[in-house]
Amino acid sequence: MRMCSAPMPPRDPGTGELIVPMRLQRFLARAGVASRRGSEDLMTAGRVTVNGTVASGLGCKVDPSRDEVRVDGNLVTWGSAPVTLVLNKPAGYLTSMSDPFGRPCVSGLVPCDRYPGLFPVGRLDLDTTGLLVFSTDGDLGQRLLHPSRHVWKTYWALCDGHVRDRELEELRQGIVLDDGPCQPARCRILDPSEVSGIWRPRLPEFSTPVEVRIREGRKNQVKRMLGRIHHPVIRLHRVQFGALRLEGLEPGEWRVLDDDEIALLQVQE
């Protein structure tokens, strides 16, 4: 007598492991929507449905081969690749996905409806402009922000007054702020022609553009460092994160990073 065996569950084409029923937050994380913690936040906010029903309970399980999972109405499929993008942040936007007081947030500038689970990797102050990375890959975000990674962040600061190169030596040696010593920074005075595309039409009188590269990410750190040497920051713009640069994006514009650019984020100098 011929025996009929039950069909085998499908396997993940990337890892070869069996795709079996699992907790919803694990499925969302594996599908590249967000980290597990971020997926739980999406669930508790009522933004996730399973087969048309809102799934807010953290104990909910799904079968990826049978159940239909959606986030904000967008279908989530197993094996969906995580998305990482870069935004040229304008001034006047909070680095937050929402604000209880209704102030403008960077979430309004990036395609959260198209890529549910996007979150900013790090932050820029309200009046700071420039390069801000977003991702649905929680693991990538944690790696980039972990102190052990020492990712260099490059800022162009327009400082009040005439800054002399010797005044930057204190920053290069590691200036001490109210919350402790800073790691040595890489600094140089910029030629006005280098920043002509950032601050138009011309620089204010009695101001100096300075490049500051730091590995830390304390609140208002660059502003406080330059203020300590008596050259307050008038404007601040981030031009580089790790090896990733802003290229061809006007303020408020974004683009999805390709594989080569994502690889650049892994580079440590």
Side-chain angles (χ1 to χ4, degrees):
M1 182 175 65
R2 183 178 179 182
M3 301 292 294
C4 295
S5 58
M8 290 292 292
R11 292 180 179 271
D12 186 326
T15 65
E17 63 181 292
L18 293 176
I19 301 176
V20 296
M22 64 184 69
R23 287 188 181 273
L24 178 55
Q25 55 266 49
R26 178 170 178 257
F27 167 77
L28 292 172
R30 291 294 302 274
V33 172
S35 66
R36 288 202 194 188
R37 178 63 59 85
S39 297
E40 291 175 354
D41 292 341
L42 292 173
M43 293 167 62
T44 55
R47 297 170 58 185
V48 183
T49 61
V50 177
N51 301 326
T53 301
V54 174
S56 57
L58 299 183
C60 175
K61 288 190 175 183
V62 294
D63 183 339
S65 65
R66 298 181 180 181
D67 294 321
E68 180 186 86
V69 179
R70 293 181 179 269
V71 177
D72 294 334
N74 298 292
L75 182 65
V76 178
T77 58
W78 183 266
S80 300
V83 171
T84 301
L85 60 85
V86 62
L87 167 74
N88 187 352
K89 176 189 173 295
Y93 285 82
L94 293 172
T95 303
S96 176
M97 300 309 286
S98 62
D99 180 66
F101 302 104
R103 292 173 293 181
C105 297
V106 292
S107 58
L109 301 173
V110 294
C112 295
D113 54 344
R114 191 183 314 174
Y115 306 117
L118 272 179
F119 64 94
V121 179
R123 66 184 303 275
L124 294 176
D125 297 332
L126 180 69
D127 58 347
T128 299
T129 61
L131 194 157
L132 185 60
V133 175
F134 286 77
S135 187
T136 61
D137 188 339
D139 292 336
L140 174 65
Q142 291 175 9
R143 288 197 304 271
L144 292 174
L145 295 177
H146 196 278
S148 66
R149 286 281 299 174
H150 301 303
V151 176
W152 286 100
K153 278 83 67 176
T154 304
Y155 297 85
W156 285 357
L158 186 62
C159 300
D160 184 42
H162 179 58
V163 182
R164 296 172 174 81
D165 186 75
R166 66 174 181 268
E167 296 179 273
L168 300 176
E169 194 59 33
E170 191 173 357
L171 307 186
R172 297 177 182 129
Q173 295 299 319
I175 197 168
V176 178
L177 300 177
D178 293 339
D179 54 355
C182 297
Q183 295 180 12
R186 299 176 181 177
C187 310
R188 68 184 179 98
I189 303 215
L190 295 163
D191 188 277
S193 63
E194 294 183 74
V195 300
S196 60
I198 304 297
W199 297 311
R200 297 184 288 257
R202 61 183 181 182
L203 302 183
E205 195 173 4
F206 304 116
S207 65
T208 306
V210 175
E211 181 179 275
V212 179
R213 302 185 69 204
I214 60 174
R215 285 179 161 181
E216 300 166 288
R218 293 191 240 170
K219 187 175 182 179
N220 298 322
Q221 183 173 347
V222 172
K223 295 177 181 177
R224 291 190 291 141
M225 290 168 64
L226 289 164
R228 182 57 62 91
I229 63 171
H230 311 296
H231 289 287
V233 172
I234 302 170
R235 299 173 190 166
L236 188 64
H237 182 80
R238 184 156 73 186
V239 296
Q240 191 169 345
F241 185 96
L244 182 66
R245 294 177 175 271
L246 272 180
E247 298 290 349
L249 290 180
E250 293 295 321
E253 292 184 345
W254 58 268
R255 71 163 181 272
V256 174
L257 300 184
D258 58 29
D259 291 342
D260 291 338
E261 290 177 308
I262 293 175
L264 284 178
L265 288 175
Q266 312 295 338
V267 175
Q268 296 189 59
E269 301 179 43

